[in-house]
Amino acid sequence: MTVLSGAGMSAESGVPTFRDVETGLWAKVDPYEISSSDGWRRHPEKVWAWYLWRHYMMKAVDPNDGHRAVAAWQDGAEVHVVTQNVDDLHERAGSARVHHVHGSLFSFRCDRCDVPYVGPLPPMPEPVETVDPPRCACGGLIRPDVVWFGEPLPSEEWDRSVEAVSRADVAIVVGTSAVVYPAAGLPEMALAEGIPVIEVNPEETPLSDRVTISLRETSATALPGLLQRLPALLG
Ligand code: BJW
Ligand code: ZN
């Protein structure tokens, strides 16, 4: 089984999604300003503060029943999780094969020489607007090891994800608006290869009309009983 997860997977843990207009992470910021290399070049102190806040926010939240259900499926199947999320909630729930196609909130690197950064991070008890990022010995700035618009995805993670999709008996797409490519192309790839695709999302997405089954349910509601429902759903 291959699970393709997006921000909605972590919503019931209390992590805001990106595109929810009321509470989304981008409700108050311009996504292309805060999540692009142009934005980083213009305002590294704003982008750094935003990611640092999200890094610390993750320490206050826990995996939900959706993450736990996905981890439990490993008891009877080889389960790969391809996630667009930069959080670690799948791992904390116990999933062993997690492929982070958009990077991680827990890893940092130099924006000039790419060396990983393992130095201290300033504490951030409250979100603040700006924090100066640390500097690398080469003079570059330390940036979050995430994938911004216009940047390539990490090639190993991407290759493993494509393989996990093409080897799957079933793909389950959870909590993604399915608008950001190339990740949004993975369910399309599965469908093109004749692999059944089940979407779990309380809202309709551009994928909904094309998948095998589209469930208008939340991840923490739908995933715990999904394996039992699979035979009936797939006929
Ligand atoms: C629930 C729920 C509940 C709520 N249960 N569900 C082809 C066509 C058009 C454009 C492009 C294209 N190919 C590439 C592009 C450009 C661009 C792109 O896709 N733009 C589109 C937006 C138009 N893509 C890129 O730039 C990518 N790079 C690239 O293509 O590089 C090419 C290259 C090659 C070689 C050299 C150089 C370049 C990179 C994309 C990077 C995306 N980065 C971000 C930030 C990551 C770091 C961070 O987290 O800050 O990734 S943007 C943001 O969007 C983040 C997410 O992972 C991603 C997807 O969002 P997601 O997960 O779908 O969240 P939402 O909020 O959109 O949706 C949540 C869903 O959950 C909703 O549907 C809710 O209904 C649902 N939900 N509660 C279940 N309880
Ligand atoms: Zn450096």
Side-chain angles (χ1 to χ4, degrees):
M1 296 171 70
T2 295
V3 176
L4 304 166
S5 69
M9 181 90 218
S10 300
E12 286 156 286
S13 292
V15 182
T17 62
F18 289 93
R19 291 171 185 81
D20 182 311
V21 283
E22 299 286 316
T23 58
L25 277 169
W26 289 335
K28 294 196 181 74
V29 296
D30 173 355
Y32 292 95
E33 197 57 33
I34 209 82
S35 195
S36 69
S37 35
D38 281 350
W40 174 252
R41 266 190 294 277
R42 274 197 290 273
H43 311 290
E45 69 293 339
K46 272 194 194 168
V47 177
W48 180 251
W50 197 65
Y51 278 95
L52 209 52
W53 167 62
R54 288 176 57 204
H55 170 90
Y56 283 120
M57 182 175 72
M58 288 316 305
K59 295 187 194 297
V61 303
D62 292 310
N64 63 53
D65 285 347
H67 298 102
R68 282 188 281 271
V70 169
W73 294 342
Q74 294 171 137
D75 284 345
E78 180 178 328
V79 181
H80 288 262
V81 180
V82 175
T83 187
Q84 296 176 73
N85 299 343
V86 293
D87 67 46
D88 59 353
L89 296 179
H90 280 296
E91 288 91 337
R92 281 163 54 192
S95 284
R97 299 183 184 88
V98 186
H99 314 299
H100 283 274
V101 293
H102 289 166
S104 165
L105 280 176
F106 303 95
S107 134
F108 305 91
R109 64 180 162 88
C110 174
D111 70 356
R112 191 181 292 175
C113 73
D114 271 347
V115 73
Y117 176 75
V118 288
L121 297 172
M124 193 188 250
E126 296 291 329
V128 295
E129 287 243 328
T130 64
V131 180
D132 285 335
R135 275 205 182 270
C136 175
C138 81
L141 293 177
I142 301 304
R143 59 163 280 177
D145 198 6
V146 300
V147 182
W148 288 323
F149 287 117
E151 295 185 327
L153 275 56
S155 58
E156 272 187 27
E157 300 281 326
W158 178 252
D159 291 348
R160 280 193 218 114
S161 303
V162 170
E163 199 196 334
V165 169
S166 57
R167 289 180 48 226
D169 293 321
V170 58
I172 298 166
V173 186
V174 191
T176 175
S177 54
V179 294
V180 174
Y181 283 82
L186 291 172
E188 296 169 1
M189 188 185 300
L191 289 167
E193 293 186 25
I195 297 163
V197 176
I198 299 179
E199 178 184 59
V200 176
N201 196 317
E203 304 292 333
E204 204 169 313
T205 76
L207 261 184
S208 302
D209 284 345
R210 301 161 53 205
V211 292
T212 318
I213 307 281
S214 190
L215 299 174
R216 290 280 85 76
E217 298 171 26
T218 74
S219 53
T221 311
L223 297 182
L226 189 64
L227 268 199
Q228 289 69 28
R229 287 165 77 190
L230 267 189
L233 286 171
L234 296 176

